[in-house]
Amino acid sequence: MNFQIEQAVEILSQTPAVLNSLLGNLSGDWTKSDENSDGWSPFDVVGHFIHGEETDWIPRAEIILAQGENPTFEPFDRFAQFEKSKGKTLGELLETFADLRRKNLERLRQMKLTPDQLKLKGIHPELGEVNLEQLLATWVVHDLTHIRQIVTVLAHKYSENVGVWKEYLSILK
Amino acid sequence: MNFQIEQAVEILSQTPAVLNSLLGNLSGDWTKSDENSDGWSPFDVVGHFIHGEETDWIPRAEIILAQGENPTFEPFDRFAQFEKSKGKTLGELLETFADLRRKNLERLRQMKLTPDQLKLKGIHPELGEVNLEQLLATWVVHDLTHIRQIVTVLAHKYSENVGVWKEYLSILK
């Protein structure tokens, strides 16, 4: 599929509504961490989305567009949410994320990116040379990755309750 | 997690809204089949959800509750949607699904199931003996499985656009 900003925004703009639909009405048994799991809970994932809005996607786009002497991104802290989300409710996190995402998409629109600008490059601290189009496509796929993670974690809560049907349900494997 | 009908309904009642948020505003490039893929498109998955509402979950619950002489379920046709969805738009399918799900959850509520009834058994044509609680838990996990499938298919549309970030994105593997 060819990259078009408008189509990327179709996904990016819906993610807050997807998370609200998925998580907004769930009781704590669904959304809290399993005591015996070292995986992320839905609560942790929403915190991770927030940290991405604050430090990853648009800040990195701005580094690329500036084309300064050192276009290397700050490393992204994949675990920042464990500290930052403390004391918050899931509802608060969902609201914060929706607000940040709306503002970041407004900043993206104001950039009025041209096809030439999409090919401008920055340096990822681990992966090396990347361009703006790849960054924006990754923003989209990153959203989908973590929605997938949330539904997988939810499904696993019922991994024993489904009995012999487990055999048919690849999400539980 | 112990099974409680109210908690299962928390997920089941939100699935139409999740699908609407995920898919309702997407252009055809996102939702149509890839010509070179034999996988299901989001359009196909929504058709599959509809067929489940019509022939699987509540009809099977009624077979179990009836405790008749032959409590064996009709086999479920996992491919019915390829014929049934022909000529429909994705918007029509989403609306049909939301309507059927709402009615089925109303039927579930009217069953006023007791803990004893949740242990009643039926016969799955391939898997053998199952009970009503397992059927309802599977309904939930089946929803989550196919939401997962949709986001995975969407992500794969950008599998090349992300460039070297592909290495970090497990959803693309």
Side-chain angles (χ1 to χ4, degrees), chain A residues 16 43-45 48 93 100 108 127 165 170 172:
Chain A
F43 180 86
D44 300 329
V45 177
H48 175 72
L93 295 184
L100 289 168
L108 180 67
L127 298 170
W165 264 292
S170 58
L172 299 181

Side-chain angles (χ1 to χ4, degrees), chain A:
Chain A
M1 182 164 158
N2 288 327
F3 181 84
Q4 295 180 39
I5 291 183
E6 300 71 25
Q7 290 185 328
V9 170
E10 287 173 10
I11 301 270
L12 293 169
S13 62
Q14 287 302 112
T15 301
V18 172
L19 296 179
N20 276 322
S21 318
L22 258 179
L23 301 174
N25 292 321
L26 296 186
S27 48
D29 284 350
W30 286 116
T31 56
K32 71 187 179 191
S33 290
D34 282 325
E35 280 164 30
N36 302 319
S37 161
D38 54 1
W40 293 9
S41 69
F43 180 86
D44 300 329
V45 177
V46 180
H48 175 72
F49 270 114
I50 289 172
H51 193 62
E53 294 306 301
E54 290 175 336
T55 69
D56 192 334
W57 314 107
I58 289 290
R60 287 181 170 187
E62 286 170 344
I63 288 172
I64 293 176
L65 286 172
Q67 290 291 296
E69 270 185 26
N70 180 12
T72 305
F73 309 147
E74 292 290 319
F76 180 71
D77 180 357
R78 293 182 56 249
F79 303 100
Q81 65 274 9
F82 294 107
E83 201 52 46
K84 283 177 65 182
S85 299
K86 274 185 184 164
K88 310 266 172 64
T89 67
L90 178 57
E92 286 167 346
L93 295 184
L94 288 168
E95 215 169 293
T96 300
F97 171 62
D99 187 50
L100 289 168
R101 174 58 57 92
R102 191 179 46 71
K103 288 175 179 159
N104 279 335
L105 291 181
E106 183 52 34
R107 285 162 81 182
L108 180 67
R109 265 186 291 271
Q110 286 169 355
M111 287 175 182
K112 295 189 170 57
L113 297 172
T114 65
D116 282 352
Q117 283 177 311
L118 288 175
K119 300 303 174 199
L120 291 174
K121 287 173 180 156
I123 308 291
H124 185 284
E126 289 176 1
L127 298 170
E129 206 173 78
V130 294
N131 70 31
L132 182 51
E133 177 175 312
Q134 291 163 347
L135 174 71
L136 299 176
T138 301
W139 192 6
V140 170
V141 177
H142 179 269
D143 272 20
L144 297 167
T145 296
H146 286 290
I147 295 169
R148 185 175 187 260
Q149 181 182 27
I150 287 171
V151 296
T152 306
V153 168
L154 293 175
H156 276 261
K157 301 260 183 182
Y158 270 179
S159 60
E160 298 311 315
N161 309 70
V162 299
V164 291
W165 264 292
K166 193 166 183 175
E167 194 184 317
Y168 284 2
L169 297 163
S170 58
I171 196 171
L172 299 181
K173 278 158 198 165

